[in-house]
Amino acid sequence: DKGEHKHFMAKEIAEQPIVVAEAIRSYMPTGADQVVLPDTDLDFSKLDRLTMVACGTAFYACLTAKYWFEQLAKMPVEVDIASEFRYREPPITDRTLALFVSQSGETADTLAALRYCEGKADKIVSVVNVPESSIARESDVALPIHAGVEIGVASTKAFTCQLSVLLMLALKAAADRGTLSDEELADHAAALRGLPSVLNTALDQNRAIRKSAQRLSEARDVLFLGRGLMYPLAMEGALKLKEISYIHAEGYASGELKHGPIALIDKHMPVVVMAPRDAVFDKTVSNMQEVMARKGKVILVSDDDGIAEAEDGVWSTIRMPHIHPSLAPILYSVPAQLLAYHTAVAKGTDVDQPRNLAKSVTVE
Ligand code: F6R
């Protein structure tokens, strides 16, 4: 049932404050600053490295989590797409935690990658939406994301729930490894608890985002730029747009622009810049100015401070609430999803059932 919404995708985007709250509550019980994993003795202090494997949107969740595990828990992390990983024959030691992320829990390549790690890794952990799925059943530990059934082929609420659970897992790793102070852990916990209401504020930007999307729907190609935690999100934003609007889009690390893709920029090229006012903001803005100097049309997604500082000459802005920098990729998922959604609606494509795609890819 779509309720008041025209598409399942719109409903699932709107549900995010509720399902993310549920995910957070189930790993950080009320009152606790500590992350508590269900029935497991998982101890990150005994591990040397983390190998994360997934496909598509779940892969971008892993790429985001790499930053968290490295920065918060000082853990070496490797991330790969399942179809590459399984044939690379990567060496896996018994001090490696192998982590698989899958909404459906049935993706053939991810399952094959998991089976490759069986008997090699210290533990096999999965982050899944479907607890009875093959990937969940074949893992030593299956961590549910609590997103509820996702019907739209383009993944939305599963992505933000995956991110929330992965961030909490990184916080658990940081606590086990003693890499964050109690104060820093409490800080993150408080920010996470505030996330659902911040997501609601982001959803209030729906109309402004629809306006920007109207302009995107005329484009043939779109670039998404971000740095640090916003780089995987730039790729996810591009994937969402490709999948449902059929507009060619690519996500790039802002700093990589001048190494090639800047050649594409002209007055026909919209460039979506994901730029919360964080430690790399100034660098992102200078990359954005290079785009504008070549007449590229910038859609700047930032907060009040960021927009006040950098809006000169941009095509349009999308205003996000302030957020703890670690949580920004979860929050900025909302405008990425809504931009794709409204662009597809403006183009009249089949949003919930895009051509050539299946919700769950159970063949190689
Ligand atoms: C994108 C999308 C796909 C899936 C991918 C993995 O919107 O839905 O890229 O993320 O096929 O699927 P799961 O997570 O079920 O393994």
Side-chain angles (χ1 to χ4, degrees), residues 55-58 101-105 107 153-155 162 239-240 243 361:
C55 302
T57 289
V101 180
S102 175
Q103 187 283 127
S104 64
T107 300
V153 164
S155 187
Q162 284 163 352
L239 177 64
K240 284 290 90 93
E243 279 185 293
V361 184

Side-chain angles (χ1 to χ4, degrees), residues 82-147:
S83 56
E84 285 302 315
F85 178 86
R86 58 180 292 199
Y87 293 112
R88 265 197 306 124
E89 301 187 17
I92 305 286
T93 70
D94 59 5
R95 290 175 66 90
T96 300
L97 182 81
L99 183 63
F100 301 87
V101 180
S102 175
Q103 187 283 127
S104 64
E106 301 296 346
T107 300
D109 282 318
T110 310
L111 182 59
L114 180 153
R115 288 178 178 156
Y116 172 82
C117 291
E118 268 169 10
K120 299 187 183 80
D122 172 66
K123 259 201 178 63
I124 306 229
V125 177
S126 59
V127 170
V128 290
N129 197 30
V130 183
E132 332 47 70
S133 61
S134 308
I135 289 175
R137 276 186 282 112
E138 295 196 24
S139 310
D140 298 317
V141 181
L143 303 172
I145 60 170
H146 301 286

Side-chain angles (χ1 to χ4, degrees), residues 4-65:
E4 75 213 69
H5 299 281
K6 253 172 70 190
H7 300 96
F8 282 108
M9 184 180 179
K11 172 173 175 264
E12 289 162 1
I13 291 171
E15 273 170 7
Q16 290 178 111
I18 292 166
V19 291
V20 164
E22 182 57 35
I24 293 168
R25 227 187 343 263
S26 60
Y27 292 92
M28 257 181 15
T30 321
D33 284 345
Q34 224 121 41
V35 173
V36 184
L37 302 182
D39 335 302
T40 162
D41 53 355
L42 202 62
D43 181 354
F44 283 88
S45 70
K46 301 205 176 80
L47 297 164
D48 287 343
R49 65 187 297 119
L50 177 63
T51 293
M52 304 176 85
V53 183
C55 302
T57 289
F59 169 67
Y60 296 135
C62 294
L63 279 184
T64 310

